[in-house]
């Protein structure tokens, strides 16, 4: 069971989480993965960047606030003074580590990805012992464990990936004996360590991925991602009114939604379970009686067509095009070798058939360096051309329509584009590709919300049609 930041946002939320775990642990062996308290990771990253800028006062203020917030939770949740002292001491040591990391950064005025990981991991390292102590108070024997002892990763700081074989061995050695003794391990989400023991993070929102990694390593029966909404919804509820819970969806569809921006799941969450087929539930910590969404290897047996929509904003469209381009040999190979060299994450590609126009979408943050690198790459080839061949539209969004067997349901693209046309939303680029479960299109950032609302209405996604199915645990 994984509990996200909003599920452990304050003392009353944490008490609620402890109750959910207590109920589940009466029937099942449970491993808990916990995120930092909501907003804490943002603050830690801010402290790291303020340290790099040398703003000692700003860093001190952030840490004072974080100390106060955790301290208040301890006071509210732990009644025994001895236990309060013990947990406060443990937290104090973690905060002191944070002070030293920030002080080192202030002195050097340099923030490496490795240091960013160490600073941003402090939130989970604080919340896990806190939740374990609260569980003990609720009569559940538990133990906080840092995932650096369990999840072995590569050294790609900020976006690390697990090495499953050593991870499996460590989980068997460390977690299985606890489960056999009826102890509930409370593991820090978001973090891992290289084989040499250097702390890494899996990326923002990565606790979902931590949960599936541990579940795969232990060959779990089920994974439950507890969050602040009723499951996977037909669209982002912050952007589209009247969304519904999708009762069941396939791994593939859920992976597409996560990849194309549905924040409820980290984009890599399903990777860890693709091969073992463990069912995953998304459920609401604040309404635990509702069954939420089941994500299963092949999804429900009936019902094709559109299931849900998602969007990613703050993107940039780079076009490599124009009359001069067609004469350049290997323009495609060189374009993508260049984006790879600057580590730009290309989210969507579309190309005109004459090969003289390639559109690619990257995040706004990566746009400038990608355009500069492409201009440099083709500078010699285009030295005599009078027009700029590599252009940038800095404010676009990708909207993605997801559903299984969409290839078998004719007219989905047509209906989408007609509806958007009626609302005067211009489509800048389209990618359907070979994937049978998504169509993505690019619109101006300012049109993103209208595109989502219109498509949601067109496919009647706001009409909740299916009866929910109860999960096998916690009924
Ligand atoms: P947690 O702290 O539990 O990890 P997140 O904030 O990372 O929670 O993810 C849950 C949020 O994702 C929801 O509150 C919702 O606003 C947002 N969200 C975006 N798209 C969707 C979607 N399709 N279904 C459900 N939630 C979504
Ligand atoms: N605490 C981390 C973050 O805010 C990981 C997570 O919440 O999943 O990104
Ligand atoms: Mg999350």
């Amino acid at each position: 069971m994984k509990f996200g930041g909003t599920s452990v946002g304050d003392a009353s939320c944490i008490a609620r989480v402890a109750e959910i775990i207590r109920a589940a642990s009466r029937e099942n062996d449970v491993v808990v993965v916990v995120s930092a308290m909501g907003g804490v990771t943002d603050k830690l990253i801010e402290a790291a960047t303020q340290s790099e800028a040398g703003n000692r006062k700003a860093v001190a203020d952030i840490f004072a606030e974080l100390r106060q917030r955790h301290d208040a939770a301890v006071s509210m949740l732990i009644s025994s003074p001895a236990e309060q002292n013990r947990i406060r001491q443990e937290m104090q040591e973690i905060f002191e580590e944070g002070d030293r990391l920030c002080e080192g950064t202030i002195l050097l005025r340099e923030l490496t990805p490795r240091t960013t990981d160490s600073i941003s991991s402090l939130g989970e390292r604080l919340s896990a012992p806190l939740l374990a102590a609260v569980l003990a108070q609720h009569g559940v024997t538990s133990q906080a464990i840092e995932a650096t002892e369990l999840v072995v990763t590569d050294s790609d700081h900020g976006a690390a990936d697990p090495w499953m074989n050593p991870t499996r061995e460590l989980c068997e050695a460390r977690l299985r004996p606890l489960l056999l003794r009826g102890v509930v391990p409370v593991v820090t989400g978001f973090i891992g360590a290289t084989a040499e023991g250097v702390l890494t993070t899996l990326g923002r929102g990565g606790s979902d991925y931590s949960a599936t990694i541990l579940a795969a390593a232990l060959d779990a029966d089920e994974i439950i991602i507890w969050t602040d909404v009723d499951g996977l919804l037909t669209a982002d509820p912050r952007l589209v009114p009247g969304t519904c819970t999708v009762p069941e969806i396939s791994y593939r569809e859920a992976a597409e939604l996560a990849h194309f921006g549905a924040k409820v799941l980290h984009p890599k969450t399903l990777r860890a379970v693709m091969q073992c087929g463990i069912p995953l539930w998304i459920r609401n910590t604040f309404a635990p009686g509702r069954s939420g969404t089941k994500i299963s290897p092949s999804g429900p047996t009936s019902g094709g067509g559109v299931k849900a929509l998602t969007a990613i904003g703050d993107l940039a469209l780079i076009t490599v095009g124009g009359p001069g381009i067609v004469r350049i040999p290997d323009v495609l190979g060189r374009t993508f070798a260049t984006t790879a060299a600057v580590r730009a994450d290309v989210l969507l590609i579309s190309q005109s058939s004459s090969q003289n126009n390639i559109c690619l979408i990257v995040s706004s943050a990566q746009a400038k360096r990608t355009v500069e690198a492409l201009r440099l790459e083709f500078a010699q080839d285009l030295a005599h051309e009078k027009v700029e061949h590599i252009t940038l539209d800095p404010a676009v969004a990708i909207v993605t329509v997801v559903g299984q067997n969409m290839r078998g349901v004719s007219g989905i693209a047509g209906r989408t584009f007609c509806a958007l046309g009626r609302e005067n939303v211009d489509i800048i680029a389209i990618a359907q590709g070979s994937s049978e479960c998504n169509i993505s299109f690019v619109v101006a950032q300012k049109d993103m919300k209208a595109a989502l609302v219109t498509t949601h209405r067109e496919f009647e996604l706001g009409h909740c049609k299916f009866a929910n199915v109860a999960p096998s645990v916690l009924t």
Side-chain angles (χ1 to χ4, degrees), residues 2-6 8 33-42 44-45 66 70 90-91 94 117-132 144-148 186-192 199-208 210:
K2 175 260 172 177
F3 294 88
T6 43
V8 292
V33 172
V34 68
S35 294
M37 290 173 81
V40 167
T41 313
D42 289 341
L44 289 166
I45 291 172
L66 292 178
H70 286 84
E90 208 169 315
M91 287 183 165
I94 296 169
D117 273 359
S118 295
I119 297 174
S120 58
S121 69
L122 298 171
E124 273 72 9
R125 296 180 55 205
L126 290 161
S127 62
L130 175 61
L131 179 57
I145 299 181
E146 299 208 349
T148 43
V186 179
V187 182
T188 54
F190 184 45
I191 64 184
L199 186 144
T200 54
T201 68
L202 310 178
R204 294 305 310 271
S207 300
D208 302 323
S210 305

Side-chain angles (χ1 to χ4, degrees), residues 2 4 205 208 263-266:
K2 175 260 172 177
D208 302 323
K263 190 184 172 225
V264 67
L265 283 180
H266 181 272

Side-chain angles (χ1 to χ4, degrees), residues 2 97 439:
K2 175 260 172 177
E97 203 179 318
I439 302 173

Side-chain angles (χ1 to χ4, degrees), residues 240 306 308-309 399-402 412 415-417 419-420 423 441 448-462:
V240 179
V306 176
L309 312 173
V399 176
T400 301
V401 177
V402 172
I412 288 180
R415 268 176 79 183
T416 308
F417 301 142
L420 292 174
E423 299 294 322
F441 50 94
M448 181 177 93
K449 191 168 182 301
L452 282 168
V453 171
T454 304
T455 318
H456 199 260
R457 195 184 317 118
E458 175 64 28
F459 290 102
E460 298 177 347
L461 297 177

Side-chain angles (χ1 to χ4, degrees), residues 214-236:
L214 294 184
L218 287 168
D219 198 15
D221 296 319
E222 282 187 350
I223 302 157
I224 307 179
I225 307 261
W226 291 93
T227 183
D228 62 346
V229 285
D230 278 347
L232 204 123
L233 306 175
T234 46
D236 185 339

